[in-house]
Amino acid sequence: MKPRTNPRSGTPSPNLLIPMVVLMTIICTRQAQSQRRPLSDFLDAQGSTTCFTPPAPAQLGWATGPGKTNGNANLTPPRFALIDYSGVEAKYLFDRGIDLGTTVNGTVMERALADGHALVTVDLHIHNALGWAYNITPTGDNNSTPLAFGARVLDVLNGATPALGNVHFHIEFVNSAPGAPLPDVVAVSQDPVNCPGPFVPPLSYSEVDFLSIEASITGTLHAPSGFAEGTQGMLAVKQIGLLSQPPRSSGPLRDQFPVESIDLKPIGR
C-alpha cells in the first residue's frame, strides 16, 4: 500500500512519516536478528526414515480429506500426493544410476527467541521434482493403491517414466536452540510410533507454525484419475497449514489447513 501523499508537494504526509519509520525500524531489526544457515543443514536432515514408501526415504505426504477440498465440499475425490520437495528421492535414484535432473535451491533463516529457542524459516524451490498421486480408498496404502498419476520412486527404479515438475515448499518451526541440528520435518508432523526414525531434536506437531507447498507436476494420468490410461496430464498441489492456529470444530480450519487442493487434469484442458 502506498503512503498517502500531500497533494501539493507529492511527499508523504507528516502524520504518516513516524509510523512508517517505526514500521521500517521493526522490519530492519527483525531482519538483522535473523541469521542465514547453510541449506545443507536442512536438506541433509531429511529422509531419516523409510516408513512411508520403503526402502525409499520418507517425506511429508499431502492429502485432501473426505468432503473437503480447498475449503469446499466434494470438489474432487479424497486424494494423496507425494512430492519430492527436498530432493531425497532424486538422490535415492541418483545413487542407483538414475538422474532426474532435480535441483533444490532456497534459504534457511534462523532467529533467536527470547525463551532460548530458535524460529527457523525454510524456503525451497525445486526443479524436476518427482511427484505422484492416488485416490484414497478405505483399504489402500502408499505402496499398493493404484496410482491416478505419475510413478512412485520404486516404479521409476524399475523402469517407469517419472512425472516431474516445479515445487515451492515453505515451513516455519521452532527449533530447540540457535545453531542446534535441524530435524527431519517428518518428525515434526507424524506419529513417531507409526513412523519411527532417528529424529533429532524431537519436536511436537504444535511447534510448527506454518507449512505450505505449491507444485505443478507433468506426467502420465492413469485410469483411476477418471481419464484414459496414458493421457498426458498435470498434477497441481496447493496446501497451506496454519498450524499455530487451534483446530476449529468445523469449517476450513478444522484441520488447520484452509487451503487443501490436489487437482488432476489432462494437459490442454
Side-chain angles (χ1 to χ4, degrees):
M1 181 178 70
K2 293 183 179 180
R4 182 160 52 87
T5 59
N6 185 315
R8 292 175 181 262
S9 66
T11 59
S13 300
N15 64 328
L16 289 182
L17 287 176
I18 292 177
M20 288 172 59
V21 170
V22 172
L23 176 60
M24 292 304 298
T25 300
I26 292 173
I27 292 174
C28 291
T29 300
R30 288 180 176 176
Q31 290 176 341
Q33 290 174 341
S34 296
Q35 302 293 324
R36 187 164 182 165
R37 293 182 57 160
L39 184 58
S40 59
D41 283 1
F42 179 79
L43 296 181
D44 290 350
Q46 309 313 302
S48 63
T49 181
T50 61
C51 60
F52 295 142
T53 54
Q59 296 187 85
L60 294 179
W62 311 90
T64 56
K68 181 187 174 189
T69 302
N70 205 17
N72 298 301
N74 302 318
L75 294 182
T76 64
R79 288 188 175 130
F80 174 88
L82 196 142
I83 308 294
D84 189 16
Y85 59 80
S86 65
V88 297
E89 291 189 335
K91 183 179 184 303
Y92 180 84
L93 291 170
F94 185 83
D95 291 344
R96 288 155 181 79
I98 298 176
D99 186 0
L100 299 182
T102 304
T103 58
V104 182
N105 295 291
T107 57
V108 178
M109 302 299 296
E110 180 178 78
R111 180 164 60 89
L113 299 176
D115 64 0
H117 294 88
L119 179 65
V120 179
T121 300
V122 180
D123 194 77
L124 303 179
H125 290 271
I126 305 91
H127 178 63
N128 279 344
L130 184 71
W132 49 268
Y134 62 75
N135 294 338
I136 296 172
T137 63
T139 59
D141 60 38
N142 290 339
N143 294 306
S144 65
T145 302
L147 292 181
F149 176 86
R152 297 177 177 91
V153 60
L154 298 183
D155 300 329
V156 175
L157 193 60
N158 290 323
T161 301
L164 304 172
N166 296 322
V167 183
H168 179 207
F169 174 81
H170 186 96
I171 186 170
E172 299 174 15
F173 61 90
V174 177
N175 204 28
S176 58
L182 301 182
D184 183 337
V185 297
V186 172
V188 303
S189 60
Q190 300 293 336
D191 180 356
V193 174
N194 297 319
C195 189
F199 301 135
V200 179
L203 296 177
S204 69
Y205 186 80
S206 62
E207 288 178 285
V208 179
D209 291 335
F210 182 86
L211 179 66
S212 71
I213 190 169
E214 188 165 4
S216 179
I217 310 294
T218 302
T220 302
L221 291 162
H222 304 298
S225 69
F227 301 102
E229 175 67 35
T231 301
Q232 283 299 107
M234 180 172 291
L235 164 65
V237 177
K238 187 171 185 178
Q239 305 239 340
I240 297 175
L242 305 179
L243 305 180
S244 62
Q245 302 295 314
R248 308 291 175 83
S249 58
S250 62
L253 274 173
R254 67 180 183 269
D255 63 354
Q256 299 170 294
F257 275 78
V259 176
E260 197 173 59
S261 178
I262 299 175
D263 189 33
L264 297 173
K265 61 182 180 180
I267 291 177
R269 297 191 192 179

